[in-house]
Amino acid sequence: MAAKSAELEWRRQWKPDLKSSSWKTQKIGEDTFLIKSLFFDGGYEILISDLTNTWYEYLEDNDLQKRSKLLNPSVDAPVTRLLQHIQSSLEEDDSKKSQFQITFKTDAEVETTSCKFSINSELAGFPFVWKFYAMEAEKEMVVEQMTVPLLTMVGELHRRQLELFKLLKAKDKEIDDYKGHGAKVSRKHLETGLFDEVSFANTMNTSKDFERQVRHLGINAFSQPGQDLYRDIMTKHAWLTAPAEEKAEDALMAGLSTDTPSGTVEQSWGNRLPMSLISGLSPSGSPVKVSPRNSPLKSPAKNTPTATPETTPTKDTELLRRQALEKRLADEESRKEVKAKKKRKLKL
């Protein structure tokens, strides 16, 4: 129960990244592609795959504005508005509002292929075009963004299938018990036979839907239920791989027990703060205003710059959280001291 409360608190504080964004199918011309994206304040990340190659682009702030001016000189809009429109155009199901085009360019010298993905739409009544210029993603990114999640989805769906088989067999026993006491179905066509795993597997393997799935080569894996399962799996993965210290903090935020083992010296949260956050405290311990995050943590990719200390995510939010935890610990320590004094008085 305690672990569930800590996870719920962690989910409330956690900000999804590109890994937790699900893949979606997009029909472009005669071909079908898989696309996943993450839009944040000031920029975006996007992955495009044809199941043979995968391309990645990260763009933010000034570079995004420069591209917008180059592609749409007559459009003057803030970055936030541009990103909202690009995202809605990318996710738009109505092909009449947005037209998609995709082209590829091969560089023979380095043996890589780049991808140009164009979206033509309208913004406030004016023609608006956006072009994603994506380069081949590194193998590690493809593995963590597609291969491993897909294998995990297969394993989880198999586990759920076995649980459903158990449930069906239990229902058969329940129905058999009803019939043994004289119960009958009101209509003959509602009656079902006993469930058999082998017969079920043979029926599925010879069905037209099985052939259709094989022809589509797994594209239907990312229907709406598949997208939901992907997000659930990657969110759970993010929780399982979160640092132990972060989980402990979320447990405290959830109001769980913070008692420390006897004989240990309890440190204040101020002493545990990293130097990057301690520098954000005033001499009185109150927070100093920290500049907001400029960009999210980027997924590993070729020629992708790493975040600097000034752009580390949610530094100010993390500082406030830790101060709240320090106050909670101090209050609990104070209550313990009061209880101890009362016990000593009772003994006297």
Side-chain angles (χ1 to χ4, degrees), residues 258-270:
T258 58
D259 294 340
T260 55
S262 58
T264 60
V265 178
E266 187 173 322
Q267 295 179 321
S268 69
W269 281 103

Side-chain angles (χ1 to χ4, degrees), residues 5 16 21 49 77 99 160 165 182 207 221 241 252 282 291 296 311:
S5 298
S21 300
S49 177
Q99 284 79 43
R160 295 186 182 191
F165 286 177
S207 67
T241 56
L252 289 170
S282 66
S291 60
T311 60

Side-chain angles (χ1 to χ4, degrees), residues 58-78:
Y58 180 100
L59 194 69
E60 63 174 343
D61 299 334
N62 293 334
D63 292 334
L64 190 145
Q65 289 181 313
K66 289 178 181 178
R67 184 179 299 181
S68 178
K69 287 295 182 182
L70 180 64
L71 297 175
N72 307 281
S74 62
V75 175
D76 185 15

Side-chain angles (χ1 to χ4, degrees), residues 119-135:
I119 303 179
N120 292 279
S121 60
E122 286 189 1
L123 176 60
F126 292 93
F128 184 86
V129 60
W130 189 258
K131 296 181 180 180
F132 299 93
Y133 295 96
M135 303 300 294

Side-chain angles (χ1 to χ4, degrees), residues 71-87:
L71 297 175
N72 307 281
S74 62
V75 175
D76 185 15
V79 172
T80 303
R81 181 70 181 92
L82 291 173
L83 288 170
Q84 289 176 347
H85 181 73
I86 296 170
Q87 182 178 11

Side-chain angles (χ1 to χ4, degrees), residues 165-217:
F165 286 177
K166 292 178 184 178
L167 182 61
L168 284 171
K169 291 177 180 179
K171 288 292 184 183
D172 282 342
K173 291 181 179 179
E174 181 181 354
I175 293 172
D176 188 58
D177 182 67
Y178 291 150
K179 289 182 177 180
H181 289 80
K184 295 182 179 180
V185 294
S186 59
R187 298 175 184 176
K188 188 68 175 177
H189 71 273
L190 296 176
E191 189 171 9
T192 57
L194 293 175
F195 175 73
D196 179 76
E197 291 184 35
V198 176
S199 176
F200 174 78
N202 290 335
T203 300
M204 292 297 100
N205 289 338
T206 57
S207 67
K208 291 183 178 179
D209 288 335
F210 177 69
E211 181 178 325
R212 188 178 298 111
Q213 287 291 340
V214 174
R215 286 181 181 276
H216 290 166
L217 296 176

Side-chain angles (χ1 to χ4, degrees), residues 251-252 255-260 266 325-339:
L252 289 170
L256 305 179
S257 174
T258 58
D259 294 340
T260 55
E266 187 173 322
L325 293 175
E326 182 179 4
K327 185 177 182 303
R328 184 190 294 274
L329 287 171
D331 291 342
E332 291 194 1
E333 185 64 26
S334 178
R335 287 195 292 270
K336 290 178 184 179
E337 291 179 1
V338 171
K339 290 181 180 179

